[in-house]
Amino acid sequence: MTTPVLKVEQLCKSFGGVHAISDLSFEVRDAEILGLIGPNGSGKSTTVNCLAGVLPVTSGAITLGGQRIETLPEYERVACGMTRTFQTASTFPEFTVRDQIMLGGNVTRTSHPISSVFGIGRHRGEDEVLARRVAHILDITGLAQIAGARVGTISSAQQRFLMIATALAADPKVILLDEPAAGLVSHERKTLTDLIKSIRDMGVSVLVIEHHMALIMEVSDRICVLNFGSKIAEGTPQDIRNDRAVIDAYLGEAA
Amino acid sequence: MTRNRTTLFYALALLGFILLPQLITVKYYLHLSVLALVWVIAAQGQNLIQGYTGYVSIVQAGFMGIGAYSTALMGLHFDMPVWLSIALAPVITAFFALLTGYPSLRVKGHYFAIVTLAFNMVIFIVLMNFHQLTQGEAGITGIPKPGSKDGLFNFRDRETYYYLVLVIATLMTGLAALIVRSRIGQTLVAIRQNEDLVGAIGIAAWKYKLFAFVTSAMFGGLAGAIYAHYQSFINPEIFGVAQSLDAILAVIIGGSGTIAGPVIGAFFVVLLPEYLRFADSFRLILYGLILVLATIFMPRGIVGVTGDLLARLGKRGK
């Protein structure tokens, strides 16, 4: 269970003269939850955006399931098995919850989109397979009750779970969660914690960025800590809690 | 509206269009109806890129021009049968749309509108000044009607041509409906709502945008070709930016992102200037005013307003 699914090697990202990430290496192993933490401005979001393909990397390598992906456009990285969520809710407000998740699963189809215009070919069979998977995702994300509701009318917490559901529909190997607990109240955080664990138990690796320390300490199998764009520590939650450099840079004495 | 009621609505509308020539006593109105149906085809195309995908294209009349000139010139220079040149016109238009769309749709936002506007100007200037090919401002005359005089249908007859255009407009409206109900159409609507998320779920948005744009151009090219063979005469004046704005307005006023919208909007933009003739030289000012007011007070178009009214009536009924 220790093969890396996602491997980041010597990743650098500069904006003009500012080195947002320098020489960052880490890996996400098969079916593990890796927490990525650090103070504001430490480069967490930049890392996720480089991994997802929103930002081009300055140098370094990103390997997903044995394939180099750092030069691929964002949408092809999804087809390679990596999906993401956003820090602020990003949805299709006019669609129903189910339709949005279905759209998230379109990447798994093999039939040509044109075939759906005339209703020919494999696409009907695919609809059924996808609908079954979406029903399962609706169940585990707790959205089944509101599957028919318009996305624009659901609560912001539900929208955050919807983002995860949409990312799961693509049947990823790795899912990147960018501050999934932002704006959630305590019982919702509990649901989120259980969901992240169940995603791992489905065999999907999770890279999660989060400021909520209790949550990150509970869900993560390992944690990687960034400061000023470089890794300052990596290890189990217990190791990180006791790491002098992490305490000084981020956690403070009380943690 | 439920599915059955929608089907009934479209069936009644089609029946109305079939009966229309019998109800029209003034020949001139039949002529306007043919023009409006040509605009229905162009507006359905415009709606794909503007209404569904959310990218305003300001070149639909330019594409009509490419379609019209290509069918006319192929007939003139290569003696090509009319039906074949009409069928090829959208393909040639698609080629030009691909050339414009490929660079301009890879970026997000307003660049696309500006590029298309510029392209329409280029088309207009070429049609005006490339005398050897287009005969400039004088235009091309004597473009033949399809079919022969003694054939089963005589398309020289205005009423017969009306039915030809009706059949094509109906088929193209049906095709537009199939596209927007498919996975492609759903993706286009998704791009309109949140293009960043479309990329994040693994869809190459630019391919879908390009598909919508090229398809919309083909609708425009076909409309232009049908127009050329109807009028037998074309010149650059009717393929300028102002006419592209008419296509945009047809979509907005009818109801953007709906199938019925472009149909209603097309008749609106063809008929309204005619009804305003009484105002003489103030006609265009009045036309502009009506359009501005319509856009402010019914942003969802005639279809949107009607839908709201029906919903309110339905509630009151209960």
Side-chain angles (χ1 to χ4, degrees), chain B residues 47 50-51 192 248-258 261 290-306 308:
Chain B
N47 194 27
Q50 178 190 333
R192 184 182 73 196
I248 294 172
L249 288 168
V251 170
I252 294 175
I253 287 184
S256 104
T258 64
I290 291 174
L291 294 179
V292 169
L293 291 176
T295 336
I296 293 173
F297 292 108
M298 33 180 229
R300 288 169 55 232
I302 295 170
V303 171
V305 170
T306 318
D308 289 349

Side-chain angles (χ1 to χ4, degrees), chain B residues 53-91:
Chain B
T53 321
Y55 274 78
V56 176
S57 149
I58 318 180
V59 64
Q60 194 66 345
F63 285 144
M64 289 171 78
I66 292 178
Y69 272 84
S70 50
T71 186
L73 293 173
M74 282 188 290
L76 203 66
H77 294 298
F78 305 121
D79 245 349
M80 200 178 272
V82 174
W83 293 119
L84 183 62
S85 68
I86 291 180
L88 284 178
V91 181

Side-chain angles (χ1 to χ4, degrees), chain B residues 17 58 62 96 105 124 126 146 179-180 235 252 269 300 318:
Chain B
F17 282 121
I58 318 180
F96 284 98
L105 282 170
F124 186 77
V126 169
I179 291 173
V180 302
N235 74 349
I252 294 175
V269 294
R300 288 169 55 232
K318 276 172 196 168

Side-chain angles (χ1 to χ4, degrees), chain A residues 74-75 78 83-84 86 90-95 99-100 103-104 106-107 109 111-118 123 126 166 170, chain B residues 106 175 178-179 181-184 186-187 189-208 211:
Chain A
E74 185 186 16
Y75 55 87
V78 178
T83 53
R84 69 168 300 182
F86 293 87
S90 183
T91 58
F92 299 120
E94 295 169 33
F95 286 162
D99 283 349
Q100 171 167 334
L103 199 66
N106 268 358
V107 68
R109 295 174 186 262
S111 70
H112 197 279
I114 295 278
S115 70
S116 70
V117 174
F118 302 103
H123 99 102
E126 286 175 354
T166 310
Chain B
R106 302 199 69 130
L175 179 63
L178 283 178
I179 291 173
R181 280 176 191 189
S182 73
R183 234 159 84 201
I184 298 180
Q186 208 194 17
T187 307
V189 175
I191 291 172
R192 184 182 73 196
Q193 295 175 63
N194 189 344
E195 191 170 339
D196 290 334
L197 185 56
V198 169
I201 60 175
I203 297 171
W206 71 270
K207 289 182 188 167
Y208 284 83
F211 172 86

Side-chain angles (χ1 to χ4, degrees), chain B:
Chain B
M1 271 198 286
T2 60
R3 204 182 175 125
N4 279 337
R5 279 170 71 183
T6 314
T7 318
L8 183 69
F9 168 77
Y10 281 112
L12 282 177
L14 187 60
L15 188 69
F17 282 121
I18 292 171
L19 294 177
L20 191 66
Q22 318 308 323
L23 305 172
I24 289 175
T25 43
V26 186
K27 278 282 169 206
Y28 184 63
Y29 284 112
L30 185 61
H31 165 71
L32 290 179
S33 304
V34 175
L35 289 186
L37 284 178
V38 168
W39 273 95
V40 167
I41 301 169
Q44 286 293 6
Q46 179 74 24
N47 194 27
L48 282 179
I49 184 77
Q50 178 190 333
Y52 286 97
T53 321
Y55 274 78
V56 176
S57 149
I58 318 180
V59 64
Q60 194 66 345
F63 285 144
M64 289 171 78
I66 292 178
Y69 272 84
S70 50
T71 186
L73 293 173
M74 282 188 290
L76 203 66
H77 294 298
F78 305 121
D79 245 349
M80 200 178 272
V82 174
W83 293 119
L84 183 62
S85 68
I86 291 180
L88 284 178
V91 181
I92 293 168
T93 316
F95 171 75
F96 284 98
L98 211 56
L99 286 185
T100 353
Y102 186 76
S104 59
L105 282 170
R106 302 199 69 130
V107 290
K108 287 173 208 156
H110 300 301
Y111 302 100
F112 174 72
I114 296 164
V115 171
T116 52
L117 172 67
F119 188 53
N120 203 147
M121 289 171 161
V122 170
I123 294 171
F124 186 77
I125 291 166
V126 169
L127 293 182
M128 271 296 200
N129 296 303
F130 195 178
H131 283 271
Q132 295 87 335
L133 188 70
T134 65
Q135 296 168 33
E137 205 176 349
I140 300 175
T141 50
I143 304 166
K145 293 267 193 299
S148 73
K149 253 185 196 143
D150 321 309
L152 187 57
F153 301 107
N154 178 12
F155 293 109
R156 278 147 201 81
D157 174 44
R158 188 162 282 169
E159 198 176 313
T160 317
Y161 206 90
Y162 170 88
Y163 284 113
L164 170 70
V165 185
L166 179 60
V167 167
I168 297 173
T170 308
L171 287 176
M172 296 314 278
T173 300
L175 179 63
L178 283 178
I179 291 173
V180 302
R181 280 176 191 189
S182 73
R183 234 159 84 201
I184 298 180
Q186 208 194 17
T187 307
L188 298 182
V189 175
I191 291 172
R192 184 182 73 196
Q193 295 175 63
N194 189 344
E195 191 170 339
D196 290 334
L197 185 56
V198 169
I201 60 175
I203 297 171
W206 71 270
K207 289 182 188 167
Y208 284 83
K209 290 191 290 185
L210 194 59
F211 172 86
F213 182 56
V214 171
T215 311
S216 84
M218 292 178 83
F219 277 63
L222 181 64
I226 291 165
Y227 175 86
H229 290 282
Y230 170 65
Q231 294 284 55
S232 300
F233 164 72
I234 48 173
N235 74 349
E237 230 150 74
I238 40 181
F239 304 121
V241 172
Q243 283 70 25
S244 287
L245 294 179
D246 276 349
I248 294 172
L249 288 168
V251 170
I252 294 175
I253 287 184
S256 104
T258 64
I259 286 297
V263 181
I264 297 166
F267 273 85
F268 200 87
V269 294
V270 170
L271 295 180
L272 185 63
E274 299 296 327
Y275 281 112
L276 295 177
R277 271 184 196 282
F278 70 88
D280 203 22
S281 53
F282 292 104
R283 180 165 73 106
L284 289 176
I285 298 174
L286 214 56
Y287 179 60
L289 192 66
I290 291 174
L291 294 179
V292 169
L293 291 176
T295 336
I296 293 173
F297 292 108
M298 33 180 229
R300 288 169 55 232
I302 295 170
V303 171
V305 170
T306 318
D308 289 349
L309 281 178
L310 284 178
R312 205 174 293 171
L313 284 176
K315 261 186 200 159
R316 200 171 288 174
K318 276 172 196 168

Side-chain angles (χ1 to χ4, degrees), chain A residues 145-201:
Chain A
Q145 296 276 335
I146 52 161
R150 289 237 295 194
V151 173
T153 65
I154 66 176
S155 75
S156 63
Q158 287 166 332
Q159 289 187 7
R160 302 204 73 88
F161 283 101
L162 174 60
M163 274 201 292
I164 299 176
T166 310
L168 278 178
D171 207 7
K173 297 190 196 99
V174 186
I175 179 168
L176 313 176
L177 303 177
D178 195 351
E179 296 196 21
L184 298 190
V185 295
S186 106
H187 73 272
E188 290 161 346
R189 277 200 299 272
K190 172 80 181 74
T191 316
L192 177 69
T193 308
D194 295 342
L195 174 61
I196 295 175
K197 286 178 178 170
S198 69
I199 291 172
R200 174 196 51 198
D201 297 340

